Amino acid sequence: MTWALSLVGAALVLFVLRDVFHTLWHPTRHGGLSRLVMRSVWRLSSRRGDRLRPAGLAGPTGMMIVVAIWALIVAVGCALMYWPHMPDDFSYAAGLAPGSHAGPLDALYVSLVTLATLGLGDIVPTSGWLRVLAPMEALVGFALLSATVAWILGVYPALARRRALALRLSHLRRSRATGRALDTDGSAALLDALASAVSIVTVDFLQYAESYYFYDGEEHIALPAQLTYATDLADQAARARHPDVRVSGAALRTALDDLATVLDARFLRTGEAPAGVFAAYAADHGR
């Protein structure tokens, strides 16, 4: 029974570490637990769209829940390793009766104190491998804190790049930069810049998949609302007389196709052409 609980606890800790690794440090994968939580919060927010999505709460709420679940699973996993060895392999502070503080809640308390690196010292392990496990759990707690900060510092710049691209497209649409206005050397450079920005957003969706579950707010900074116009620009550039504009338009079209592929493979699962994928993306974000 002792080793069975220890193995279950170790499996829970390893499961969380794997999920953290695939969520934060593996650029082409996404953790299964974090993906499930973020998607569930996003779907739930669609039923409460009058509050969560327009207020931009779905994404941040999902991230907070993911971090809380990571910490809770690690704490429970280590508690399962501590519990079978209590009270014999633990030292208790004066005033604490070992026999009265050897239950599962006490093991969870020790685990939480260790994970948070508080080091209160009222209940501490004294046997060999448990004395090693405690500082290792503290290291995991510090790693979770660092990972959370790195996650935030990665996701929010990705959101800023996505919204900046949407705003740029909105500016062009409102300036009515179409037809002959696109048939110039300057337009070729503009289309190249747009293609580059779309490619960066595509990479952001690959590396920070959680950014998909953030609501962008007003239409002029919402990429789902602007992608149809970007497609129209690529179509108009394909009909331009200027060869550089046609080449740049083709690059923009290819970048948009790649973005549609990533959106469909990772989030939407429509199996449609890029136009259909962008329409589903807009619908999923309330556009």
Side-chain angles (χ1 to χ4, degrees), residues 96-286:
L96 292 179
S100 301
H101 294 83
L105 288 180
D106 299 288
L108 182 60
Y109 163 75
V110 172
S111 182
L112 287 171
V113 168
T114 305
L115 184 67
T117 66
L118 294 177
L120 298 181
D122 51 347
I123 305 176
V124 295
T126 56
S127 68
W129 73 273
L130 289 176
R131 293 176 64 191
V132 175
L133 176 62
M136 288 182 64
E137 184 183 6
L139 288 175
V140 171
F142 181 76
L144 283 178
L145 176 61
S146 302
T148 301
V149 174
W151 201 15
I152 294 172
L153 293 178
V155 167
Y156 279 90
L159 293 175
R161 289 188 290 269
R162 187 172 84 198
R163 291 164 182 169
L165 172 59
L167 186 59
R168 181 59 172 150
L169 289 169
S170 176
H171 289 163
L172 289 172
R173 185 173 65 178
R174 284 180 285 170
S175 68
R176 295 181 174 84
T178 58
R180 294 181 181 179
L182 287 176
D183 213 351
T184 64
D185 291 332
S187 297
L190 173 64
L191 293 169
D192 283 335
L194 289 176
S196 177
V198 171
S199 298
I200 291 172
V201 169
T202 302
V203 173
D204 285 337
F205 278 125
L206 287 171
Q207 191 154 358
Y208 303 105
E210 303 79 18
S211 64
Y212 177 88
Y213 303 106
F214 279 73
Y215 186 79
D216 287 325
E218 298 179 6
E219 183 173 347
H220 65 283
I221 60 170
L223 187 61
Q226 304 298 332
L227 285 175
T228 299
Y229 176 70
T231 303
D232 292 341
L233 280 179
D235 292 339
Q236 293 177 39
R239 298 190 296 269
R241 295 181 180 180
H242 200 297
D244 290 344
V245 173
R246 292 198 301 271
V247 171
S248 299
L252 177 59
R253 167 61 69 181
T254 301
L256 289 168
D257 289 346
D258 289 343
L259 175 59
T261 299
V262 170
L263 288 173
D264 201 42
R266 292 219 163 200
F267 311 106
L268 299 170
R269 310 284 184 179
T270 66
E272 298 184 9
V277 173
F278 292 150
Y281 178 37
D284 197 30
H285 283 251

Side-chain angles (χ1 to χ4, degrees), residues 38-74:
M38 294 294 293
R39 182 179 295 173
S40 298
V41 172
W42 181 254
R43 298 302 177 217
L44 179 62
S45 72
S46 67
R47 301 177 183 178
R48 299 294 302 274
D50 56 326
R51 293 184 181 181
L52 289 181
R53 286 196 184 178
L57 295 178
T61 300
M63 289 181 69
M64 287 191 296
I65 293 174
V66 169
V67 173
I69 290 176
W70 282 343
L72 180 60
I73 292 178
V74 170

